[in-house]
Amino acid sequence: MTSAPTDLPVLCGIILHPAAHTLSPVLHAAAYRELGLSAHYHAFDVPPDSVRDALAGMRALGLRQLSVSIPHKETVLELADRASEEARRIGAANTLTRVGDEIVADNTDWIGVRKTLEPLADWKDKRATVLGAGGAARAVVFALRSLEMHVTVVNRSAERAERVARELGAEVGTLEDPFDLLVNTTPLGMSPDLDSTPAAREVLRPDSTVFDTVYRPLETRLLREAASVGCRVQDGLDMLIHQAVEQVRLWCGRAPDAENLRAAALDVLKA
């Protein structure tokens, strides 16, 4: 009779709904290979009414870290044992790390936004319009405010837009407001809904930058139309990569090379 192994791989993963589109398992697998970590990362399709059960499973199964995506980012912040200052200020979390017996909530999305936008321009005192008012929008607004931008939130639910704006130092507006940067944080245009767009072509300005946090496909209808009228465009892959790099660093104290993660993601997207 053989003894049970003592060096089982660490378990990590992502909770979201639906789960088919996520590239996070590809990114984390590439990071673990590079860093020589014995770890497995899985995508878990968790309906909104099962998030509490998912966190209980994290404890019971010994998962070391969970990424969190649509639509659970605000819910998990309420359920975690404690949270980082950034996650509390943002009001949403995209990362749960098990530290001893505690589940700690954090937010690395805002870091992904900053690292994506900082090389593009000096954004201080520029105007940004953010489409959406969910957990991703909260991280985007927080990041833009950290860049000292003037931020307007646009959402179908005025109540949700007002809450995000009030809590994060932004304003509520419309797509008719002038902007230097337009950021889509909604899932409109994400595969398989390729014909959808959160902003009509007529509101896009040639002298502006349009940033779509959707990464599947890399060229959404919004970005295609923005490029056609002369906008600078930015897809969501850089944000996804940079937030994943920070997630791995939070878990193990070491950061993988972002370019290695990009190569792994592009292999899948091109296929």
Side-chain angles (χ1 to χ4, degrees):
M1 180 177 181
T2 59
S3 60
T6 58
D7 56 344
L8 292 174
V10 170
L11 297 178
C12 303
I14 182 170
I15 58 171
L16 70 168
H17 182 74
H21 72 278
T22 183
L23 277 179
S24 290
V26 174
L27 299 182
H28 282 257
Y32 302 158
R33 285 194 301 270
E34 176 191 337
L35 298 177
L37 298 173
S38 180
H40 292 314
Y41 186 103
H42 303 275
F44 301 102
D45 193 331
V46 176
D49 59 358
S50 298
V51 178
R52 187 180 296 275
D53 293 337
L55 267 65
M58 182 181 186
R59 297 182 194 276
L61 298 174
L63 272 73
R64 186 67 57 87
Q65 189 176 80
L66 280 178
S67 307
V68 183
S69 191
I70 296 174
H72 306 317
K73 295 182 180 184
E74 294 171 82
T75 304
V76 297
L77 182 64
E78 300 172 1
L79 297 175
D81 297 311
R82 57 187 174 94
S84 68
E85 179 183 355
E86 291 81 7
R88 287 195 303 271
R89 290 172 62 189
I90 291 168
N94 75 318
T95 310
L96 300 174
T97 305
R98 199 164 51 83
V99 181
D101 294 329
E102 290 188 312
I103 294 176
V104 181
D106 213 319
N107 193 301
T108 68
D109 278 337
W110 79 276
I111 296 174
V113 174
R114 274 197 66 126
K115 286 185 175 294
T116 297
L117 291 176
E118 282 177 321
L120 301 183
D122 178 4
W123 297 105
K124 183 177 180 180
D125 294 329
K126 298 291 181 63
R127 299 162 300 183
T129 293
V130 176
L131 307 180
R138 285 178 165 274
V140 168
V141 173
F142 183 83
L144 300 183
R145 294 292 294 134
S146 77
L147 292 170
E148 301 183 62
M149 298 191 73
H150 303 288
V151 182
T152 295
V153 180
V154 177
N155 191 59
R156 288 179 300 177
S157 167
E159 182 179 353
R160 285 182 64 85
E162 288 167 2
R163 181 180 175 188
V164 171
R166 181 177 66 252
E167 294 178 1
L168 292 169
E171 297 179 355
V172 177
T174 70
L175 272 171
E176 283 67 47
D177 296 329
F179 56 80
D180 302 293
L181 172 68
L182 177 69
V183 186
N184 174 43
T185 71
T186 78
L188 289 174
M190 182 172 69
S191 181
D193 192 19
L194 302 180
D195 292 330
S196 294
T197 180
R201 180 185 180 125
E202 291 73 25
V203 306
L204 304 175
R205 297 166 172 80
D207 57 346
S208 67
T209 298
V210 177
F211 174 19
D212 197 337
T213 62
V214 171
Y215 59 84
R216 206 163 194 171
L218 287 178
E219 186 182 60
T220 59
R221 177 181 170 185
L222 173 64
L223 294 187
R224 187 168 59 252
E225 293 182 347
S228 73
V229 301
C231 300
R232 178 170 54 180
V233 297
Q234 173 64 53
D235 60 57
L237 185 58
D238 283 356
M239 175 184 170
L240 181 73
I241 289 169
H242 289 304
Q243 65 81 31
V245 167
E246 182 64 12
Q247 285 182 328
V248 175
R249 189 195 66 77
L250 282 173
W251 165 42
C252 71
R254 292 184 289 154
D257 185 342
E259 291 309 310
N260 287 341
L261 274 61
R262 182 187 311 280
L266 289 176
D267 282 346
V268 173
L269 291 171
K270 290 176 179 177

